[in-house]
Every structure is written in structure tokens, then in C-alpha cells.
Amino acid sequence: MLKAVILIGGPQKGTRFRPLSFEVPKPLFPVAGVPMIQHHIEACAQVPGMQEILLIGFYQPDEPLTRFLEAAQQEFNLPIRYLQEFAPLGTGGGLYHFRDQILAGGPEAFFVLNADVCSDFPLSTMLDVHRHQPHPFLLLGTTANRTQSLNYGCIVENPQTHEVLHYVEKPSTFVSDIINCGIYLFSPEALKPLRDVFQRNQQDGQLEDSSVLWPGAGTIRLEQDVFSALAGQGQIYVHLTDGIWSQIKSAGSALYASRLYLSQYQLTHPERLAKHTPEGPRIRDPDVKSQSLPSLNQMWFGVFAPRSSLLLLGNVYIHPTAKVAPSAVLGPNVSIGEGVTIGEGVRLRESIVLHGATLQEHTCVLHSIVGWGSTVGRWARVEGTPSDPNPNDPRAHMDSESLFKDGKLLPAITILGCRVRIPAEVLILNSIVLPHKELSRSFTNQIIL
């Protein structure tokens, strides 16, 4: 018997995800057409012997979260429950606080996954490693370049046994090129060190009145309080993966994660990708340069003749309720949400268009996220600057840097918040537009409050 715990955080987290997290909890933000944590749940549900999935966080159990849990339970035929923390308890505090719920039924082991990661989730492989050589803690690791490794938890392993000899969270100098993926497999014995940390916090924070305990005693940081302390004691091991992995800390990283998941759909969910049908879309490989120009029978006095079917370049997700004009050109790496309207001649590339948005005729949207219910006017251009990992470095990852440098807004993807209206024939470049704004002119490199 196995269980899984997904740590979804709370509203005090995800500030770099604004303004998108204003409208929906970050774990429910659509990535590649489905809520972020649905990718986690799908991976957990495919592990043989999985009996229950628990979500732990500090979000209020509002209608979107409740509706998602009900739908997920029906789809995966698994008990999926949300356990709300009484206060933000860190990455380990919730595990200890709800230890009885996690251990109910006597699971052999339980997975722990951070909600803000994108991965192919090699959970079955981790389970095989654990069963071959059981230990309290098994971490999933990957490699990063020397510079970017400083932004993650760094792992020094024994190359022969894969025991974690040393662990440092976001070191100031280079420690190791192996980084923590935020995906774990714990045995029930892993909760004992959490108890020790909790008791130590109680003793350290106890007030003069011995009957009153420090309210922060329940806050436990897995990385600093447990992994760093137990490294080198034969309790923590690491399994390295060469599969896809990225953090989802900002809107730009969500766009990159959407690209990774859409590519993964070729193997895992081909039915989610828009594909060729006799009456429907044509698919064109964006890597084939000879197809990048129109043929003679497509040209008429220098303009495209009307097409009878949608043109797709690469991986594209289109919700079944979306309305897309046949002369639009979509892709690569485009996700179109529920009830979206795409007008004639629209060009859409490397973007996410959320529920109920409208792109009017001949708009161009590149490297952007268009918010719920927003409207982009005719012949308008909405464009951002991608912050993708270095394609020439196989160990490079997304940089989660600040929005600003030397007091200036750094070029990044363009984000339109909920119900933003963009007029016709304007340019919105490298900008963030907060919800419910109606613009009247072009903007470049600005945050529009």
C-alpha cells in the first residue's frame, strides 16, 4: 500500500506568480491545458498500489479547489483529500502535523511532491530503488550547471552507494552540480526526525510560562532542518534522473513548463494534442524549413488565400469548447483554454490563452499569457521576451530572477491579467497588466497598475 502527499503551499507563497495567482490558487493554474497539480495526481495514480493522495497546504478550501478535488476523485477513482494547515508550517511541518492521516492504513511508503515543479515524475523507478534498498529518505535529483546550482538545494552523494553525504540549501558558493528536485519517497520512519525537530523547536521557543508553547514550533523546513542535519548518517539517498524537470516559480517558468508538458503529451497523452482530421487542423513540423513558406497555390497577389483548415505548428492544446478560426496559425507550444475565441488571421506562438479570452482578427500574440476573459483588439500585437534556459547547455534550468535590475523592469514574457482589454492596432511589449485594466495606447517594458 502506498500514499502520496502533494505540498501546495498557501496564498502567502507564489508572489512571483502575480497577477495570475490573484484569480486562482497557483496550484490550479492551467499548465498545458490542465491544472498544475493534475500532472502530479496523474503520475501518482499510475503507481501500482497507490491508495490515497493527500494535498497539504494553507489555502482556504474554496469552490475552485473543492470542485477540482471532486472532479479528480471521479476521474482517477482514488480518494483525494485536502488537509488545511492551521498556519503555514513549512515544507515539513504539515507532514508532521498530519502524520496520523498519512500513516493511516499502514502504508509501505509515501511520496512527497512539491506542487511547483514540472517533471515526468519517475515515481515507479523511485519505488523500485526504495524496495531494492529501503531507507527513510529517497530524494530525486538532477544536474545543474555551476552557476544555477546555487539557486537550489545541493546534494553531495557517494557515487557508489548514492548516499547523500552533504546537503546545503541554496549555498553561497559552489557545492555540487546535483540539485534537489522537490520529489521524495519517504518510509514511515522518516517522520521520526520530524518529531525530533518539532520537540527541539518547542524547547527552544518555550516561554517563561511553561504551559505556553511557541506557536512556531510546528514550522519544519525539510531541507534545512532534516536533510542538512541527517546527511552523511546513512538515512538519505538520492536517485538521479535525466528526464524533464523545472521549477514553476514565475509566470515565465509556467510557460516553459507548458512547453515541456506539451512535448511529453506525445508519449503520455497524445489525445490532448490538436491533430489532423479530414475536416480539422493540418499539422506542420516547425523544424522543417522547406515548409515555412507558402506554396504557389496559397498565394494570391502577395497575400494568403483563405484556408479551409487551421494550421498548426508543433504541439498545441485546444480545449474542446474553444472557437478557432480556420485561418489562424497556432504553435509551437500553445495552450488554448475553455471558451476561448480565436479570430481570423491570428498568429499565436509560445503562449497560454486562459478561459474565456478573445483574440480578435489578425492579432499577434508571442511569448505571452492572456488572462481570463481578456480581449485583444484587431491587429494588436502582444509580445514578450522568453527567458528560456540556455539551449547549448544541457544542464541549464530556468532562472527565477527578480523582475527588476538596477531599478528597471527586465524584459520578460508579457502577462495580461483577468479581464484586460487591449485596443486595436497597439503594441504591448514586455509588460505586465494587472486585472480589469482597459488600455488606450501602446506600452513597452512597464507594469500597468
Coordinates of all heavy atoms in Angstrom, one line a residue, residues 176-213:
S176 N 27.9 21.4 -5.3 CA 27.7 20.2 -6.1 C 26.8 20.6 -7.3 O 26.0 21.6 -7.2 CB 27.0 19.1 -5.3 OG 26.6 18.1 -6.1
D177 N 26.9 19.9 -8.4 CA 26.0 20.1 -9.5 C 24.8 19.2 -9.5 O 24.0 19.2 -10.4 CB 26.8 19.9 -10.9 CG 27.3 18.4 -11.0 OD1 27.2 17.7 -10.0 OD2 27.8 18.1 -12.1
I178 N 24.6 18.4 -8.4 CA 23.4 17.7 -8.2 C 22.5 18.5 -7.3 O 22.8 18.9 -6.3 CB 23.7 16.3 -7.5 CG1 24.7 15.5 -8.4 CG2 22.4 15.5 -7.3 CD1 25.1 14.2 -7.7
I179 N 21.2 18.7 -7.8 CA 20.3 19.5 -7.1 C 19.0 18.7 -6.8 O 18.7 17.7 -7.4 CB 19.9 20.8 -8.0 CG1 19.2 20.4 -9.3 CG2 21.1 21.6 -8.2 CD1 18.6 21.5 -10.0
N180 N 18.3 19.2 -5.8 CA 17.1 18.6 -5.2 C 15.9 18.9 -6.2 O 15.7 20.1 -6.4 CB 16.9 19.1 -3.8 CG 15.6 18.5 -3.2 OD1 15.0 17.7 -3.8 ND2 15.3 19.1 -2.0
C181 N 15.2 17.9 -6.6 CA 14.0 18.2 -7.5 C 12.7 18.4 -6.7 O 11.7 18.8 -7.4 CB 13.8 16.9 -8.4 SG 15.1 16.7 -9.6
G182 N 12.7 18.3 -5.4 CA 11.5 18.5 -4.7 C 10.5 17.4 -4.8 O 9.3 17.5 -4.6
I183 N 11.0 16.2 -5.1 CA 10.2 15.0 -5.3 C 10.8 13.9 -4.4 O 12.0 13.6 -4.6 CB 10.1 14.5 -6.7 CG1 9.4 15.6 -7.6 CG2 9.3 13.2 -6.9 CD1 9.5 15.4 -9.1
Y184 N 10.1 13.3 -3.5 CA 10.7 12.4 -2.5 C 9.9 11.1 -2.3 O 8.7 11.1 -2.6 CB 10.8 13.1 -1.1 CG 11.3 14.5 -1.1 CD1 10.4 15.6 -0.7 CD2 12.5 14.8 -1.6 CE1 10.9 16.9 -0.7 CE2 13.0 16.2 -1.6 CZ 12.1 17.2 -1.2 OH 12.6 18.5 -1.2
L185 N 10.5 10.1 -1.8 CA 9.8 8.9 -1.3 C 10.3 8.6 0.1 O 11.5 8.4 0.3 CB 10.1 7.7 -2.3 CG 9.5 6.4 -1.9 CD1 8.0 6.5 -1.8 CD2 9.9 5.3 -2.9
F186 N 9.4 8.7 1.0 CA 9.7 8.5 2.4 C 9.1 7.2 2.9 O 8.0 6.8 2.6 CB 9.1 9.6 3.3 CG 9.7 11.0 3.0 CD1 9.2 12.1 3.6 CD2 10.9 11.2 2.3 CE1 9.7 13.4 3.4 CE2 11.4 12.4 2.0 CZ 10.9 13.5 2.6
S187 N 9.9 6.6 3.8 CA 9.3 5.4 4.6 C 8.6 6.0 5.9 O 8.9 7.2 6.2 CB 10.4 4.4 5.0 OG 11.3 5.0 5.9
P188 N 7.8 5.2 6.5 CA 7.1 5.8 7.8 C 8.1 6.2 8.8 O 7.9 7.1 9.6 CB 6.3 4.6 8.3 CG 6.0 3.8 7.0 CD 7.2 3.9 6.1
E189 N 9.4 5.6 8.8 CA 10.4 6.0 9.8 C 10.9 7.4 9.6 O 11.5 8.0 10.4 CB 11.6 5.0 9.7 CG 11.3 3.6 10.2 CD 10.5 2.8 9.2 OE1 10.6 3.2 7.9 OE2 9.8 1.9 9.5
A190 N 10.6 8.0 8.4 CA 11.1 9.4 8.1 C 10.4 10.4 9.0 O 10.9 11.5 9.1 CB 10.8 9.7 6.6
L191 N 9.3 10.0 9.6 CA 8.5 11.0 10.4 C 9.2 11.2 11.8 O 8.9 12.1 12.5 CB 7.1 10.6 10.6 CG 6.2 10.7 9.3 CD1 4.8 10.2 9.5 CD2 6.2 12.1 8.7
K192 N 10.0 10.2 12.2 CA 10.7 10.3 13.5 C 11.6 11.5 13.6 O 11.6 12.3 14.6 CB 11.4 9.0 13.8 CG 10.5 7.8 14.0 CD 11.3 6.6 14.3 CE 10.4 5.4 14.4 NZ 11.1 4.1 14.6
P193 N 12.5 11.8 12.5 CA 13.3 13.0 12.6 C 12.5 14.3 12.6 O 12.9 15.3 13.2 CB 14.2 12.9 11.3 CG 14.2 11.5 11.0 CD 12.9 10.9 11.4
L194 N 11.3 14.3 12.0 CA 10.4 15.4 12.1 C 9.9 15.7 13.5 O 9.8 16.8 13.9 CB 9.2 15.3 11.1 CG 9.5 15.1 9.6 CD1 8.3 15.0 8.8 CD2 10.4 16.2 9.1
R195 N 9.6 14.6 14.2 CA 9.2 14.7 15.6 C 10.4 15.3 16.4 O 10.1 16.1 17.3 CB 8.8 13.3 16.1 CG 8.4 13.3 17.6 CD 8.4 11.9 18.1 NE 9.7 11.3 18.1 CZ 10.0 10.0 18.2 NH1 9.0 9.1 18.3 NH2 11.2 9.5 18.1
D196 N 11.6 14.9 16.1 CA 12.7 15.4 16.9 C 12.9 16.9 16.7 O 13.1 17.7 17.6 CB 14.0 14.7 16.5 CG 14.0 13.2 16.8 OD1 13.2 12.8 17.7 OD2 14.7 12.4 16.2
V197 N 12.7 17.4 15.4 CA 12.8 18.8 15.1 C 11.6 19.5 15.8 O 11.9 20.6 16.4 CB 12.7 19.0 13.6 CG1 12.6 20.5 13.3 CG2 13.9 18.4 12.9
F198 N 10.4 19.0 15.8 CA 9.3 19.6 16.5 C 9.6 19.8 18.0 O 9.3 20.9 18.6 CB 8.0 18.8 16.2 CG 6.8 19.3 16.9 CD1 6.1 20.4 16.4 CD2 6.4 18.7 18.1 CE1 5.0 20.9 17.1 CE2 5.2 19.2 18.8 CZ 4.6 20.3 18.3
Q199 N 10.0 18.7 18.6 CA 10.3 18.8 20.1 C 11.4 19.8 20.3 O 11.4 20.5 21.4 CB 10.7 17.4 20.6 CG 9.5 16.4 20.5 CD 9.9 15.0 20.9 OE1 11.0 14.7 21.0 NE2 8.9 14.2 21.2
R200 N 12.4 19.8 19.5 CA 13.5 20.8 19.7 C 13.0 22.2 19.5 O 13.4 23.1 20.3 CB 14.6 20.5 18.7 CG 15.9 21.4 18.9 CD 17.1 20.8 18.2 NE 16.9 20.9 16.7 CZ 16.7 19.8 16.0 NH1 16.8 18.6 16.5 NH2 16.6 19.9 14.7
N201 N 12.1 22.5 18.6 CA 11.5 23.8 18.4 C 10.7 24.2 19.6 O 10.7 25.4 20.0 CB 10.6 23.8 17.2 CG 11.4 23.8 15.9 OD1 12.7 24.0 15.9 ND2 10.8 23.5 14.8
Q202 N 10.0 23.2 20.2 CA 9.2 23.5 21.4 C 10.1 24.0 22.5 O 9.9 24.9 23.2 CB 8.4 22.3 21.8 CG 7.1 22.0 21.1 CD 6.4 20.9 21.7 OE1 6.9 19.9 22.2 NE2 5.0 21.0 21.6
Q203 N 11.2 23.3 22.7 CA 12.1 23.6 23.8 C 12.8 24.9 23.6 O 13.0 25.7 24.5 CB 13.2 22.5 24.0 CG 12.6 21.1 24.4 CD 13.6 20.0 24.3 OE1 14.8 20.2 23.9 NE2 13.2 18.8 24.7
D204 N 13.2 25.2 22.3 CA 13.9 26.4 22.0 C 13.0 27.6 22.2 O 13.5 28.7 22.6 CB 14.5 26.4 20.6 CG 15.6 25.3 20.5 OD1 16.1 24.9 21.6 OD2 16.0 25.0 19.4
G205 N 11.7 27.5 21.9 CA 10.8 28.6 21.8 C 9.9 28.7 23.0 O 9.0 29.6 23.0
Q206 N 10.1 27.9 24.0 CA 9.2 27.9 25.1 C 9.3 29.2 25.9 O 10.4 29.7 26.2 CB 9.5 26.7 26.0 CG 8.3 26.3 27.0 CD 8.5 24.9 27.6 OE1 9.6 24.4 27.5 NE2 7.5 24.4 28.2
L207 N 8.2 29.7 26.3 CA 8.2 31.0 27.1 C 8.4 30.7 28.6 O 8.5 29.5 29.0 CB 6.9 31.7 26.9 CG 6.5 32.0 25.4 CD1 5.1 32.6 25.3 CD2 7.6 32.9 24.8
E208 N 8.5 31.7 29.3 CA 8.7 31.6 30.8 C 7.6 30.8 31.4 O 7.8 29.9 32.3 CB 8.8 32.9 31.5 CG 10.1 33.7 31.1 CD 10.2 35.0 31.8 OE1 9.3 35.3 32.7 OE2 11.1 35.8 31.5
D209 N 6.4 31.0 30.9 CA 5.3 30.2 31.4 C 5.3 28.9 30.7 O 5.1 28.8 29.5 CB 3.9 30.9 31.1 CG 2.7 30.2 31.6 OD1 2.9 29.0 32.1 OD2 1.6 30.7 31.5
S210 N 5.6 27.8 31.4 CA 5.9 26.5 30.8 C 4.6 25.9 30.1 O 4.7 25.0 29.3 CB 6.4 25.5 31.8 OG 5.5 25.4 32.9
S211 N 3.4 26.5 30.5 CA 2.2 26.0 29.9 C 2.0 26.6 28.5 O 1.1 26.1 27.8 CB 1.0 26.3 30.8 OG 0.8 27.7 30.9
V212 N 2.7 27.6 28.1 CA 2.5 28.2 26.8 C 3.7 27.8 25.9 O 4.9 28.0 26.3 CB 2.5 29.8 27.0 CG1 2.2 30.4 25.6 CG2 1.3 30.1 27.9
L213 N 3.4 27.3 24.7 CA 4.4 26.9 23.8 C 4.5 27.9 22.6 O 3.5 28.5 22.2 CB 4.1 25.5 23.2 CG 4.1 24.4 24.3 CD1 3.7 23.1 23.6 CD2 5.4 24.2 25.0

